[in-house]
Amino acid sequence: MKSDAMLRSDIVAELNFDPAITMNATDIGVVVKDGVVTLSGHASSHSQKHAIERAVQRVKGVKALAVEMSVRLPAASERTDADIAKAAENALEWNVLVPDDAVHPMVEGGWITLSGGVEWAYQRRAAEVAVRHLMGVRGVTNMVEVKGRFTAVDVERKISDALKRQADREARHIQILVEGAQVTLRGTVKSWAERRAAQGAAWSAPGVAKVVNNLLVEA
């Protein structure tokens, strides 16, 4: 098992390695205690903040992540809410994964809120990705609803199949709770890759609007 110092060193190396992160890793506060990572500092864009979070989650040994970073836009990246709203509307319109007129953006203080309704979770995610990287965006709140039908058996089968394909493991140690359109995952997995595979499989069921991933990564 990695020590906290070793884990922090691996995280900093991953941040420096990722070409999507243009910030110097030394400008990002990284504190590790018992495998729990806390990030602090100021990202130059919402896209940068998201890339940093994903990079940390890829590092083996990270048990949990607390994000205390904020977005501080440089002057050259500042845009009016009207400009951002128009750009977001165009981005959604041109994205083939987002159904026409299904998702609507609202912008306040550089923060985009998406509303509307779609049939699949991947369409909901596609809408968020479409606007995440726009200049001037400080954050994104995805309020898009997913409308469809699924059962706990459907979700469990998808998770089991995904783990067999991606991680060569059964889903026996994963408990699946379904409440309305929300799926909650509990139990233990061996890696972040397995954790992401289970979460992705849960999202792949039509009608899933929210996945609460409480899976723990074994040390």
Side-chain angles (χ1 to χ4, degrees):
M1 186 174 65
K2 294 181 183 178
S3 67
D4 287 344
M6 292 173 60
L7 182 56
R8 185 183 185 283
S9 178
D10 286 350
I11 291 171
V12 172
E14 185 67 20
L15 292 173
N16 284 324
F17 174 77
D18 193 333
I21 301 174
T22 58
M23 296 174 59
N24 192 318
T26 58
D27 295 329
I28 303 170
V30 180
V31 176
V32 182
K33 185 175 182 180
D34 299 329
V36 178
V37 180
T38 300
L39 298 176
S40 61
H42 304 284
S44 58
S45 68
H46 178 61
S47 179
Q48 282 285 290
K49 180 173 177 286
H50 183 264
I52 292 167
E53 294 169 7
R54 292 299 299 272
V56 173
Q57 291 175 341
R58 288 195 299 268
V59 178
K60 183 179 180 181
V62 174
K63 295 181 179 178
L65 176 62
V67 182
E68 298 180 357
M69 298 185 69
S70 60
V71 175
R72 181 179 294 174
L73 298 174
S77 296
E78 292 282 355
R79 294 293 186 273
T80 67
D81 287 347
D83 288 339
I84 297 173
K86 182 60 177 177
E89 182 181 357
N90 289 337
L92 293 169
E93 181 180 350
W94 282 78
N95 192 310
V96 296
L97 299 180
V98 181
D100 292 340
D101 298 322
V103 180
H104 309 286
M106 181 184 72
V107 184
E108 183 176 358
W111 198 284
I112 299 177
T113 299
L114 300 175
S115 62
V118 294
E119 293 185 5
W120 294 88
Y122 81 84
Q123 296 170 328
R124 182 178 186 272
R125 290 196 301 272
E128 182 173 338
V129 173
V131 302
R132 179 187 298 148
H133 305 292
L134 297 177
M135 187 172 291
V137 174
R138 295 180 181 274
V140 179
T141 299
N142 195 342
M143 302 292 291
V144 176
E145 296 183 359
V146 179
K147 303 174 181 179
R149 296 180 179 179
F150 66 98
T151 66
V153 174
D154 294 332
V155 178
E156 185 172 2
R157 185 181 67 252
K158 287 180 178 293
I159 291 177
S160 180
D161 291 345
L163 290 182
K164 288 177 182 177
R165 290 193 305 272
Q166 301 177 32
D168 191 28
R169 187 185 183 194
E170 299 282 354
R172 290 190 298 266
H173 301 290
I174 299 177
Q175 181 184 10
I176 302 166
L177 303 176
V178 177
E179 297 181 43
Q182 175 176 304
V183 175
T184 300
L185 304 178
R186 295 176 181 169
T188 59
V189 290
K190 293 184 178 179
S191 67
W192 276 90
E194 288 188 5
R195 190 176 188 272
R196 287 194 296 270
Q199 180 170 316
W203 274 119
S204 70
V208 174
K210 183 178 181 181
V211 175
V212 178
N213 194 343
N214 291 332
L215 293 173
L216 300 177
V217 178
E218 295 176 346

